[in-house]
C-alpha cells in the first residue's frame, strides 16, 4: 500500500548511494547477494535473541535490496545490457530473507511458533498470487510495469509494510507473537485481494 510513496521518498538517497558505489567490481548481482547475506545474518541473530544486531543487519539488508535495482537501472542507462537474471536473483533472495527472518524471530522470541507459521502461510499465498500473475501477464501482454522486473499486484501489505513489521518484531520482541497474528491477518487479506485482482485482470 505504501510502496509507491516510499520509492519516491527514498529514491534520491538511493540514487546518491548508487553513484558513490558505481564501480566495476560493484555489480547489482553482488549487491543483491550482499543483501541476502545480511538478511540471513539478521535471521540468525534473531534466532539467538540478539535483537539489536538483528535489527541493524535487517535494515542494512533492505538498503542493499533497494540499491541493487537502482544500480542496475543506472548501468542500463549507461548502455549496459539489462539482464533478467538479476531480477530473478533479487526476488528469490527476497523470499529467502523474508522466510528466514520470520523463522528466526519465531525461534528467538521463545513463545508459540503458531503465529509465525500463520505469517509464512500468508506469505506463501501472496508469493503465489503475484508470481503466477507476473508469468501469465507477460504471456498475455497484460504486464504491469512499475519499473520492477516482475508485475506486482498491489495490496494492503507490500514491501514497505513488511520492512516495518519485521523491524517492529526486532524492536519489540516481547510482543512478537501478537504482532505476528495481526500481520498474518493483514497479509492474508492482501493475498485474497491479489487473487481477485489478478483473476479479473487476466479475464
Amino acid at each position: 500500500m505504501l510502496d509507491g510513496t516510499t520509492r519516491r521518498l527514498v529514491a534520491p538517497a538511493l540514487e546518491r548511494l548508487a553513484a558513490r558505489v558505481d564501480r566495476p567490481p560493484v555489480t547489482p548481482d553482488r549487491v543483491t547477494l550482499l543483501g541476502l547475506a545480511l538478511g540471513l545474518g539478521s535471521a540468525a541473530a534473531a534466532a539467538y535473541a540478539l535483537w539489536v544486531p538483528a535489527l541493524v543487519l535487517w535494515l542494512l539488508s533492505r538498503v542493499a535490496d533497494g540499491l541493487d535495482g537502482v544500480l542496475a537501472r543506472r548501468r542500463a542507462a549507461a548502455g549496459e545490457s539489462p539482464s533478467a537474471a538479476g531480477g530473478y536473483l533479487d526476488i528469490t533472495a527476497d523470499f529467502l530473507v523474508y522466510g528466514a527472518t520470520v523463522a528466526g524471530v519465531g525461534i528467538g522470541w521463545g513463545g508459540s511458533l503458531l503465529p509465525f507459521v500463520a505469517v509464512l502461510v500468508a506469505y506463501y499465498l501472496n508469493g503465489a498470487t503475484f508470481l503466477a500473475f507476473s508469468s501469465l501477464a507477460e504471456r498475455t501482454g497484460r504486464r504491469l510495469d512499475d519499473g520492477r522486473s516482475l508485475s506486482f499486484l498491489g495490496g494492503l501489505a507490500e514491501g514497505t509494510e513488511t520492512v516495518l513489521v519485521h523491524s517492529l518484531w526486532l524492536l519489540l520482541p516481547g510482543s512478537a507473537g501478537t504482532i505476528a497474528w495481526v500481520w498474518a491477518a493483514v497479509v492474508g487479506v492482501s493475498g485474497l485481494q491479489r487473487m481477485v485482482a489478478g483473476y479479473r485482470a487476466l479475464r
Side-chain angles (χ1 to χ4, degrees):
M1 189 169 61
L2 299 176
D3 277 9
T5 300
T6 301
R7 283 198 299 273
R8 288 192 296 273
L9 290 174
V10 303
L14 287 176
E15 291 286 355
R16 289 193 296 270
L17 181 56
R20 290 177 66 95
V21 303
D22 191 1
R23 303 291 184 273
V26 183
T27 66
D29 287 355
R30 287 174 180 171
V31 174
T32 299
L33 292 174
L34 174 62
L36 172 61
L38 291 167
L40 293 178
S42 173
Y48 284 98
L50 302 172
W51 303 113
V52 173
L55 178 61
V56 172
L57 290 169
W58 166 251
L59 294 176
L60 288 174
S61 78
R62 295 307 86 197
V63 171
D65 182 51
L67 179 63
D68 57 5
V70 176
L71 185 59
R73 289 188 288 275
R74 182 181 175 88
R75 296 280 175 88
E80 185 174 304
S81 298
S83 170
Y88 175 79
L89 179 64
D90 182 53
I91 193 64
T92 52
D94 279 348
F95 268 67
L96 180 53
V97 168
Y98 286 160
T101 305
V102 173
V105 174
I107 293 168
W109 93 292
S112 172
L113 289 175
L114 282 177
F116 297 95
V117 171
V119 171
L120 289 175
V121 171
Y123 279 3
Y124 187 90
L125 169 62
N126 278 267
T129 58
F130 83 74
L131 289 176
F133 175 80
S134 183
S135 176
L136 292 168
E138 190 77 34
R139 286 168 53 190
T140 57
R142 301 179 187 183
R143 189 176 191 278
L144 303 178
D145 191 355
D146 63 357
R148 291 181 283 190
S149 299
L150 300 175
S151 294
F152 279 77
L153 289 164
L156 186 61
E158 297 180 338
T160 300
E161 291 83 2
T162 303
V163 172
L164 292 174
V165 169
H166 283 230
S167 299
L168 196 59
W169 278 333
L170 301 173
L171 285 167
L172 302 171
S175 302
T178 301
I179 296 168
W181 278 125
V182 174
W183 182 232
V186 171
V187 177
V189 169
S190 187
L192 294 175
Q193 286 179 323
R194 289 186 168 105
M195 285 179 66
V196 173
Y199 178 78
R200 289 176 174 172
L202 292 170
R203 288 194 69 180

